[in-house]
Amino acid sequence: MAHFEEVCKQSDLHPKPAGLVLQYGTAGFRTSANKLDHIMFRMGLLATLRSKKTKATIGVMVTASHNPEEDNGVKLIDPLGEMLTSSWEDYATQLANTDQNELVKTLKDIIEKEAIDMSQEANVYVGKDTRSSSSSLSQAVLDGVKALGGHSKDYGLVTTPQLHYMVCCQNTRGKYGEATVEGYYRKLSQAFSQLAKNASNRTDDQKHLSVDGANGIGAIKVREMESHLKNHMQLSVFNDGSRGKLNHQCGADFVKVQQTLPRGIKINPGDRCCSFDGDADRIVYYYTDSQGDFHLLDGDKIATLISTFLKELLNEAGLDLKIAVVQTAYANGSSTHYLENTMKVIVKCTKTGVKHLHHAAQEFDIGVYFEANGHGTVLFSDGAEEKIQQLANDTNINDERKKAAFLLQNTINIINQTVGDAISDMLLIEAILAIKGMTVQQWDAIYSDLPNRQLKVKVSDRRVIDTTDSERRAVTPAGLQEAIDDLVKKYEKARSFVRPSGTEDVVRVYAEADTQESADALAHEVSLAVYGLAGGVGDEPKPLH
Ligand code: NG1
Ligand code: ZN
């Protein structure tokens, strides 16, 4: 067929470097931008096939999120705005690694296996972040779509969650919202102003929030959003990309891992601040106190704030809906303890990677999921949404129930249910703090984090580490888990685990304990165990102090 000739011709313009092998990981493909041109073209092809197969619009986002500016990456978005289904991740890996002269054969294999009707129309939405490599790489995606005869719409610069939202809007025929950036701002800002009506009069200081845009797309988009928020919020945007480098000493990942303020932000003690990551699908909050000490409010604190708010509203509304919080092994032990024992909500732990949390959250009426690093959202089942709508329309209920139903309704509208979204999460957090009349310090005081430390260890092959129990225990290499267990016993309130990263060629080590010194020492000792037992390369890990 003509399409395949075109694929061959175009594919020569996007050649695969000899010997390069890449894998579609937890965050799609991610590596140095200069290795990705052929991957982008081929993901354009795959998205076209996926669109034909699902008879729906598929999204392709060009970004490497919180990783350095020199890197790039690509993620596919399924019809309802979810991550690409895992069975197709294998096709992505096959297509990425197949030799140029085998490309058509690999495509034909996928078409046959999936029984794809090639006469079916295909539609692909494409978006990109602000990296200097993103323009040519997103063009390569568009070339791939065109080569297979698909239609594409180029959204240009958008946040990752904005593109997920567009795909969902399109495939629900507008039920989720209007598939434009304007439509996104309108939906979220309207919900925010409805929620803000329920806050008592706030001073300008209370409305003020400092935002670290990580020198990325989030800074541009939050500025666009600001004009829709009128006088409900006052934003100071730092690291807006006008000078600094993307994610360099700023952004959510830097702040969370280094547990310190980003560069380039000017704040006073007590000021409420937040950082986005490079594609604005993660957010963390923080402030400094009068002693100059830094206080981080990460994904766990965000999940606690949101789930407390929702649980209170459900009680007030008299709605019997099952709410759960989904976390990963990185969730601070104090947060899990507080959620289970004080709030008495169901807590579920899954493997790292948003898709695992997302799937687990779908099992409940209301599933709040957050990774400690600040990626998260809330999912409402269709049944839960229906019950909330019915109650909001019920004229025979008292004012308290009516108000709670109204707040729940607008909470649903402010949330981007397709994926974690820094802008949407920020608006929800700001609305909750305003409604509850809470300061960032009061929010922080809900529970105290156990001191913790995250480290990386380089090994020759990180796949030698196999884990179980949602990655909390290592099954291989032999002796590693026993070594970790023995080290953990030396410290109070201690916990530690190791796992191979899905996005970087490293083994990640996590430790928490009653003091920062103990957490640091434990993390170091566990790093040494990994280095010794799992084939460490380079210098032996050095102590932190
Ligand atoms: P890896 O590299 O597998 O640890 C990191 C994050 C994940 C997730 C992905 C995708 C940590 C410890 N890990 O994965 O939570 O966000 O990147 O970006 O933060
Ligand atoms: Zn991101």
Side-chain angles (χ1 to χ4, degrees), residues 293-313:
D293 287 337
F294 172 81
H295 296 259
L296 177 72
L297 295 98
D298 63 2
D300 304 334
K301 284 250 154 104
I302 296 173
T304 305
L305 181 74
I306 296 175
S307 52
T308 309
F309 177 68
L310 289 171
K311 201 171 171 209
E312 284 167 3
L313 288 182

PDB file of all heavy atoms in Angstrom, residues 293-313:
ATOM      1  N   ASP A 293      14.330  28.202  58.607  1.00  0.00           N
ATOM      2  CA  ASP A 293      14.264  26.769  58.272  1.00  0.00           C
ATOM      3  C   ASP A 293      13.241  26.531  57.164  1.00  0.00           C
ATOM      4  O   ASP A 293      12.192  27.166  57.121  1.00  0.00           O
ATOM      5  CB  ASP A 293      13.881  25.943  59.519  1.00  0.00           C
ATOM      6  CG  ASP A 293      15.028  25.852  60.500  1.00  0.00           C
ATOM      7  OD1 ASP A 293      16.195  26.011  60.064  1.00  0.00           O
ATOM      8  OD2 ASP A 293      14.764  25.659  61.706  1.00  0.00           O
ATOM      9  N   PHE A 294      13.584  25.569  56.323  1.00  0.00           N
ATOM     10  CA  PHE A 294      12.761  25.253  55.156  1.00  0.00           C
ATOM     11  C   PHE A 294      11.748  24.158  55.515  1.00  0.00           C
ATOM     12  O   PHE A 294      12.091  23.173  56.159  1.00  0.00           O
ATOM     13  CB  PHE A 294      13.704  24.763  54.047  1.00  0.00           C
ATOM     14  CG  PHE A 294      13.006  24.227  52.835  1.00  0.00           C
ATOM     15  CD1 PHE A 294      12.506  25.089  51.864  1.00  0.00           C
ATOM     16  CD2 PHE A 294      12.853  22.854  52.649  1.00  0.00           C
ATOM     17  CE1 PHE A 294      11.871  24.587  50.741  1.00  0.00           C
ATOM     18  CE2 PHE A 294      12.219  22.349  51.530  1.00  0.00           C
ATOM     19  CZ  PHE A 294      11.722  23.227  50.575  1.00  0.00           C
ATOM     20  N   HIS A 295      10.504  24.343  55.111  1.00  0.00           N
ATOM     21  CA  HIS A 295       9.461  23.334  55.361  1.00  0.00           C
ATOM     22  C   HIS A 295       8.814  22.927  54.040  1.00  0.00           C
ATOM     23  O   HIS A 295       8.276  23.770  53.338  1.00  0.00           O
ATOM     24  CB  HIS A 295       8.366  23.894  56.285  1.00  0.00           C
ATOM     25  CG  HIS A 295       8.881  24.238  57.647  1.00  0.00           C
ATOM     26  ND1 HIS A 295       8.695  23.428  58.735  1.00  0.00           N
ATOM     27  CD2 HIS A 295       9.597  25.304  58.087  1.00  0.00           C
ATOM     28  CE1 HIS A 295       9.265  23.979  59.792  1.00  0.00           C
ATOM     29  NE2 HIS A 295       9.821  25.123  59.417  1.00  0.00           N
ATOM     30  N   LEU A 296       8.876  21.627  53.761  1.00  0.00           N
ATOM     31  CA  LEU A 296       8.326  21.116  52.496  1.00  0.00           C
ATOM     32  C   LEU A 296       6.963  20.480  52.720  1.00  0.00           C
ATOM     33  O   LEU A 296       6.768  19.726  53.675  1.00  0.00           O
ATOM     34  CB  LEU A 296       9.281  20.053  51.938  1.00  0.00           C
ATOM     35  CG  LEU A 296       8.830  19.351  50.657  1.00  0.00           C
ATOM     36  CD1 LEU A 296       8.928  20.287  49.457  1.00  0.00           C
ATOM     37  CD2 LEU A 296       9.682  18.109  50.395  1.00  0.00           C
ATOM     38  N   LEU A 297       6.003  20.799  51.838  1.00  0.00           N
ATOM     39  CA  LEU A 297       4.710  20.119  51.839  1.00  0.00           C
ATOM     40  C   LEU A 297       4.625  19.381  50.506  1.00  0.00           C
ATOM     41  O   LEU A 297       4.346  19.980  49.464  1.00  0.00           O
ATOM     42  CB  LEU A 297       3.562  21.116  52.019  1.00  0.00           C
ATOM     43  CG  LEU A 297       3.573  21.814  53.389  1.00  0.00           C
ATOM     44  CD1 LEU A 297       4.220  23.175  53.288  1.00  0.00           C
ATOM     45  CD2 LEU A 297       2.175  21.941  53.939  1.00  0.00           C
ATOM     46  N   ASP A 298       4.917  18.086  50.569  1.00  0.00           N
ATOM     47  CA  ASP A 298       5.057  17.303  49.334  1.00  0.00           C
ATOM     48  C   ASP A 298       3.740  16.629  48.942  1.00  0.00           C
ATOM     49  O   ASP A 298       2.679  16.956  49.484  1.00  0.00           O
ATOM     50  CB  ASP A 298       6.186  16.286  49.506  1.00  0.00           C
ATOM     51  CG  ASP A 298       5.869  15.279  50.612  1.00  0.00           C
ATOM     52  OD1 ASP A 298       4.772  15.349  51.206  1.00  0.00           O
ATOM     53  OD2 ASP A 298       6.725  14.416  50.869  1.00  0.00           O
ATOM     54  N   GLY A 299       3.820  15.684  48.035  1.00  0.00           N
ATOM     55  CA  GLY A 299       2.612  14.997  47.550  1.00  0.00           C
ATOM     56  C   GLY A 299       1.814  14.347  48.673  1.00  0.00           C
ATOM     57  O   GLY A 299       0.586  14.296  48.619  1.00  0.00           O
ATOM     58  N   ASP A 300       2.526  13.856  49.708  1.00  0.00           N
ATOM     59  CA  ASP A 300       1.817  13.203  50.826  1.00  0.00           C
ATOM     60  C   ASP A 300       0.982  14.220  51.595  1.00  0.00           C
ATOM     61  O   ASP A 300      -0.160  13.952  51.977  1.00  0.00           O
ATOM     62  CB  ASP A 300       2.819  12.553  51.789  1.00  0.00           C
ATOM     63  CG  ASP A 300       3.745  11.570  51.090  1.00  0.00           C
ATOM     64  OD1 ASP A 300       3.345  11.023  50.050  1.00  0.00           O
ATOM     65  OD2 ASP A 300       4.866  11.373  51.580  1.00  0.00           O
ATOM     66  N   LYS A 301       1.575  15.384  51.836  1.00  0.00           N
ATOM     67  CA  LYS A 301       0.830  16.432  52.565  1.00  0.00           C
ATOM     68  C   LYS A 301      -0.337  16.927  51.708  1.00  0.00           C
ATOM     69  O   LYS A 301      -1.410  17.252  52.226  1.00  0.00           O
ATOM     70  CB  LYS A 301       1.760  17.607  52.917  1.00  0.00           C
ATOM     71  CG  LYS A 301       2.691  17.331  54.083  1.00  0.00           C
ATOM     72  CD  LYS A 301       2.348  18.120  55.335  1.00  0.00           C
ATOM     73  CE  LYS A 301       2.821  17.399  56.584  1.00  0.00           C
ATOM     74  NZ  LYS A 301       4.021  17.925  57.219  1.00  0.00           N
ATOM     75  N   ILE A 302      -0.126  16.989  50.391  1.00  0.00           N
ATOM     76  CA  ILE A 302      -1.194  17.438  49.489  1.00  0.00           C
ATOM     77  C   ILE A 302      -2.346  16.421  49.521  1.00  0.00           C
ATOM     78  O   ILE A 302      -3.516  16.793  49.648  1.00  0.00           O
ATOM     79  CB  ILE A 302      -0.649  17.637  48.051  1.00  0.00           C
ATOM     80  CG1 ILE A 302       0.388  18.762  48.029  1.00  0.00           C
ATOM     81  CG2 ILE A 302      -1.791  17.930  47.068  1.00  0.00           C
ATOM     82  CD1 ILE A 302       1.123  18.952  46.703  1.00  0.00           C
ATOM     83  N   ALA A 303      -2.000  15.126  49.453  1.00  0.00           N
ATOM     84  CA  ALA A 303      -3.037  14.073  49.473  1.00  0.00           C
ATOM     85  C   ALA A 303      -3.822  14.137  50.781  1.00  0.00           C
ATOM     86  O   ALA A 303      -5.044  13.943  50.796  1.00  0.00           O
ATOM     87  CB  ALA A 303      -2.395  12.703  49.308  1.00  0.00           C
ATOM     88  N   THR A 304      -3.120  14.432  51.872  1.00  0.00           N
ATOM     89  CA  THR A 304      -3.788  14.500  53.174  1.00  0.00           C
ATOM     90  C   THR A 304      -4.764  15.678  53.217  1.00  0.00           C
ATOM     91  O   THR A 304      -5.904  15.525  53.661  1.00  0.00           O
ATOM     92  CB  THR A 304      -2.730  14.654  54.301  1.00  0.00           C
ATOM     93  OG1 THR A 304      -1.806  13.587  54.168  1.00  0.00           O
ATOM     94  CG2 THR A 304      -3.372  14.618  55.663  1.00  0.00           C
ATOM     95  N   LEU A 305      -4.299  16.833  52.726  1.00  0.00           N
ATOM     96  CA  LEU A 305      -5.171  18.019  52.722  1.00  0.00           C
ATOM     97  C   LEU A 305      -6.420  17.747  51.887  1.00  0.00           C
ATOM     98  O   LEU A 305      -7.551  18.003  52.318  1.00  0.00           O
ATOM     99  CB  LEU A 305      -4.410  19.219  52.155  1.00  0.00           C
ATOM    100  CG  LEU A 305      -5.201  20.528  52.112  1.00  0.00           C
ATOM    101  CD1 LEU A 305      -5.342  21.119  53.514  1.00  0.00           C
ATOM    102  CD2 LEU A 305      -4.549  21.556  51.180  1.00  0.00           C
ATOM    103  N   ILE A 306      -6.216  17.222  50.685  1.00  0.00           N
ATOM    104  CA  ILE A 306      -7.343  17.009  49.770  1.00  0.00           C
ATOM    105  C   ILE A 306      -8.293  15.936  50.314  1.00  0.00           C
ATOM    106  O   ILE A 306      -9.516  16.110  50.302  1.00  0.00           O
ATOM    107  CB  ILE A 306      -6.840  16.642  48.352  1.00  0.00           C
ATOM    108  CG1 ILE A 306      -6.043  17.802  47.746  1.00  0.00           C
ATOM    109  CG2 ILE A 306      -8.008  16.255  47.439  1.00  0.00           C
ATOM    110  CD1 ILE A 306      -5.406  17.511  46.390  1.00  0.00           C
ATOM    111  N   SER A 307      -7.739  14.830  50.818  1.00  0.00           N
ATOM    112  CA  SER A 307      -8.639  13.764  51.273  1.00  0.00           C
ATOM    113  C   SER A 307      -9.389  14.170  52.545  1.00  0.00           C
ATOM    114  O   SER A 307     -10.547  13.792  52.716  1.00  0.00           O
ATOM    115  CB  SER A 307      -7.896  12.440  51.441  1.00  0.00           C
ATOM    116  OG  SER A 307      -6.772  12.603  52.243  1.00  0.00           O
ATOM    117  N   THR A 308      -8.744  14.968  53.412  1.00  0.00           N
ATOM    118  CA  THR A 308      -9.461  15.464  54.604  1.00  0.00           C
ATOM    119  C   THR A 308     -10.633  16.334  54.167  1.00  0.00           C
ATOM    120  O   THR A 308     -11.758  16.187  54.658  1.00  0.00           O
ATOM    121  CB  THR A 308      -8.512  16.313  55.494  1.00  0.00           C
ATOM    122  OG1 THR A 308      -7.334  15.577  55.742  1.00  0.00           O
ATOM    123  CG2 THR A 308      -9.167  16.693  56.798  1.00  0.00           C
ATOM    124  N   PHE A 309     -10.370  17.235  53.238  1.00  0.00           N
ATOM    125  CA  PHE A 309     -11.408  18.144  52.733  1.00  0.00           C
ATOM    126  C   PHE A 309     -12.569  17.339  52.137  1.00  0.00           C
ATOM    127  O   PHE A 309     -13.737  17.577  52.466  1.00  0.00           O
ATOM    128  CB  PHE A 309     -10.771  19.050  51.668  1.00  0.00           C
ATOM    129  CG  PHE A 309     -11.712  19.998  50.982  1.00  0.00           C
ATOM    130  CD1 PHE A 309     -12.292  21.054  51.666  1.00  0.00           C
ATOM    131  CD2 PHE A 309     -12.002  19.855  49.621  1.00  0.00           C
ATOM    132  CE1 PHE A 309     -13.147  21.945  51.020  1.00  0.00           C
ATOM    133  CE2 PHE A 309     -12.846  20.740  48.964  1.00  0.00           C
ATOM    134  CZ  PHE A 309     -13.428  21.793  49.675  1.00  0.00           C
ATOM    135  N   LEU A 310     -12.237  16.357  51.305  1.00  0.00           N
ATOM    136  CA  LEU A 310     -13.293  15.569  50.649  1.00  0.00           C
ATOM    137  C   LEU A 310     -14.078  14.743  51.664  1.00  0.00           C
ATOM    138  O   LEU A 310     -15.303  14.641  51.586  1.00  0.00           O
ATOM    139  CB  LEU A 310     -12.687  14.653  49.576  1.00  0.00           C
ATOM    140  CG  LEU A 310     -12.169  15.372  48.339  1.00  0.00           C
ATOM    141  CD1 LEU A 310     -11.398  14.404  47.439  1.00  0.00           C
ATOM    142  CD2 LEU A 310     -13.320  16.008  47.553  1.00  0.00           C
ATOM    143  N   LYS A 311     -13.363  14.175  52.633  1.00  0.00           N
ATOM    144  CA  LYS A 311     -14.055  13.346  53.634  1.00  0.00           C
ATOM    145  C   LYS A 311     -15.035  14.206  54.446  1.00  0.00           C
ATOM    146  O   LYS A 311     -16.172  13.789  54.715  1.00  0.00           O
ATOM    147  CB  LYS A 311     -13.036  12.669  54.548  1.00  0.00           C
ATOM    148  CG  LYS A 311     -13.637  11.471  55.216  1.00  0.00           C
ATOM    149  CD  LYS A 311     -12.682  10.614  55.969  1.00  0.00           C
ATOM    150  CE  LYS A 311     -13.520   9.600  56.748  1.00  0.00           C
ATOM    151  NZ  LYS A 311     -12.906   9.158  57.970  1.00  0.00           N
ATOM    152  N   GLU A 312     -14.602  15.400  54.802  1.00  0.00           N
ATOM    153  CA  GLU A 312     -15.492  16.294  55.555  1.00  0.00           C
ATOM    154  C   GLU A 312     -16.718  16.654  54.714  1.00  0.00           C
ATOM    155  O   GLU A 312     -17.846  16.663  55.214  1.00  0.00           O
ATOM    156  CB  GLU A 312     -14.737  17.568  55.959  1.00  0.00           C
ATOM    157  CG  GLU A 312     -13.779  17.342  57.120  1.00  0.00           C
ATOM    158  CD  GLU A 312     -12.798  18.501  57.331  1.00  0.00           C
ATOM    159  OE1 GLU A 312     -12.883  19.528  56.602  1.00  0.00           O
ATOM    160  OE2 GLU A 312     -11.931  18.355  58.195  1.00  0.00           O
ATOM    161  N   LEU A 313     -16.502  16.939  53.439  1.00  0.00           N
ATOM    162  CA  LEU A 313     -17.640  17.286  52.574  1.00  0.00           C
ATOM    163  C   LEU A 313     -18.607  16.119  52.420  1.00  0.00           C
ATOM    164  O   LEU A 313     -19.830  16.318  52.422  1.00  0.00           O
ATOM    165  CB  LEU A 313     -17.150  17.728  51.184  1.00  0.00           C
ATOM    166  CG  LEU A 313     -16.466  19.088  51.087  1.00  0.00           C
ATOM    167  CD1 LEU A 313     -16.089  19.378  49.639  1.00  0.00           C
ATOM    168  CD2 LEU A 313     -17.351  20.204  51.627  1.00  0.00           C
TER     169      LEU A 313
END
